[in-house]
Amino acid sequence: MIYIVSTGPGNSDSMSVEAINAIKECDVIVGYGKYIELIEPLIQDKMVFTTGMTKEVDRCRQALEISLTGKKVAMVSGGDAGVYGMGGIMQEIVLEMAPEIEVVVIPGITAANAAAAALGAPIVHDSVNISLSDLLTDIEVIKKRLHAAGTGDFITCIYNPKSKGRPHYIEMARDILLEYKKSETPVGIVKNARRDDQEVFITTLEKMCDVDIDMSTIVIVGNSDTFVKNGKMITPRGYRR
Ligand code: SAH
């Protein structure tokens, strides 16, 4: 049996009771080092295998091999495992190599939800998630999806906004969205959501790149109705009163 356990954006306070119980039940925990650190208190008596970023396929094979020895394994993944997380590749590998193994997926709070709560209520209406990482997605596809988000006036949650290898993609995303959205469109930026060092910024589409954005940051660009009042970023759903 393999559990794919979503560990939420921060420490174990942001995990579901079901996720915590699954981890308690497992003998072995497999995951990326940084997420494992965040849930350290939960896993002290467990066998833990950590691997670096970009070793996702190895990590999944390792989880599967251990589970084939009869142990209960939790593959942990930050935020929600099904949103740019390990949920997909883990299940693909099980289907390829040992489809008889039972896989249980436990959902979690994704960065967009955590950031939205810190900002106010920016994604109450139709929204999209776009990752600016081109490690697994062609940059032309990313650009096409940014244009589509702009055309559709979607609230746009930008994951993986910046890394050392591609510092300018966030400016490219801003420029594409500026073709469709007003320069004063509210933008919420949350760094390290639900962690001790959480930082929250509210700015505009035009000025968003003035904020120091990194890989622990999510950027939420509002739609044409989004407003800012008393330090809260809110997208109205349209209720009459
Ligand atoms: N599965 C994760 C996303 C992994 S992709 C989830 O559901 O949240 C990694 C990207 O997610 C980061 O580059 C960042 O954009 C975002 N992210 C993850 N955790 C975050 C946090 N605590 N605060 C802000 N952004 C976060």
Side-chain angles (χ1 to χ4, degrees):
M1 153 101 90
I2 297 184
Y3 282 104
I4 298 174
V5 182
S6 304
T7 55
N11 57 28
S12 54
D13 292 355
S14 303
M15 288 169 70
S16 69
V17 173
E18 195 184 6
I20 291 174
N21 288 341
I23 287 197
K24 283 187 186 154
E25 217 184 282
C26 284
D27 313 299
V28 180
I29 312 295
V30 181
Y32 167 52
K34 187 172 155 193
Y35 294 130
I36 297 260
E37 271 168 39
L38 283 162
I39 57 161
E40 196 89 69
L42 280 182
I43 55 172
Q44 270 158 9
D45 56 335
K46 312 280 178 190
M47 211 196 287
V48 177
F49 290 93
T50 60
T51 51
M53 203 81 145
T54 75
K55 296 269 188 227
E56 288 86 357
V57 174
D58 295 347
R59 208 181 304 155
C60 292
R61 291 214 176 100
Q62 192 179 27
L64 180 56
E65 277 159 21
I66 299 167
S67 95
L68 288 170
T69 68
K71 296 229 178 332
K72 276 195 174 174
V73 179
M75 158 66 73
V76 299
S77 186
D80 183 90
V83 181
Y84 310 118
M86 297 300 293
I89 183 65
M90 185 72 243
Q91 292 183 73
E92 287 178 52
I93 287 192
V94 170
L95 287 172
E96 266 165 43
M97 296 174 63
E100 71 281 7
I101 292 278
E102 191 189 348
V103 178
V104 176
V105 185
I106 300 177
I109 299 173
T110 187
N113 296 142
L119 290 162
I123 52 175
V124 168
H125 216 298
D126 301 336
S127 65
V128 292
N129 293 337
I130 298 181
S131 165
L132 298 190
S133 172
D134 64 354
L135 290 177
L136 303 169
T137 308
D138 190 90
I139 185 63
E140 291 310 317
V141 172
I142 297 173
K143 285 186 190 167
K144 186 170 84 177
R145 290 181 182 159
L146 286 162
H147 281 285
T151 314
D153 191 25
F154 285 102
I155 302 147
T156 308
C157 305
I158 302 178
Y159 283 70
N160 296 301
K162 206 181 210 178
S163 76
K164 288 197 186 83
R166 42 184 180 78
H168 303 301
Y169 282 10
I170 189 68
E171 288 155 24
M172 170 207 74
R174 174 202 59 198
D175 292 343
I176 292 174
L177 293 175
L178 273 170
E179 290 180 33
Y180 308 93
K181 293 174 183 275
K182 291 192 186 126
S183 56
E184 62 271 24
T185 302
V187 172
I189 298 179
V190 181
K191 211 184 254 197
N192 294 308
R194 301 196 80 83
R195 298 176 189 158
D196 293 341
D197 47 354
Q198 170 174 297
E199 289 179 86
V200 179
F201 307 87
I202 295 182
T203 176
T204 61
L205 185 54
E206 188 181 26
K207 300 212 174 103
M208 70 181 214
C209 293
D210 296 350
V211 175
D212 179 28
I213 292 169
D214 64 14
M215 278 306 271
S216 300
T217 307
I218 183 159
V219 176
I220 302 184
V221 182
N223 72 13
S224 54
D225 294 322
T226 306
F227 66 87
V228 177
K229 198 169 176 184
N230 281 351
K232 298 287 178 198
M233 176 176 170
I234 293 174
T235 303
R237 177 90 192 278
Y239 291 108
R240 289 200 193 91
R241 67 226 178 249

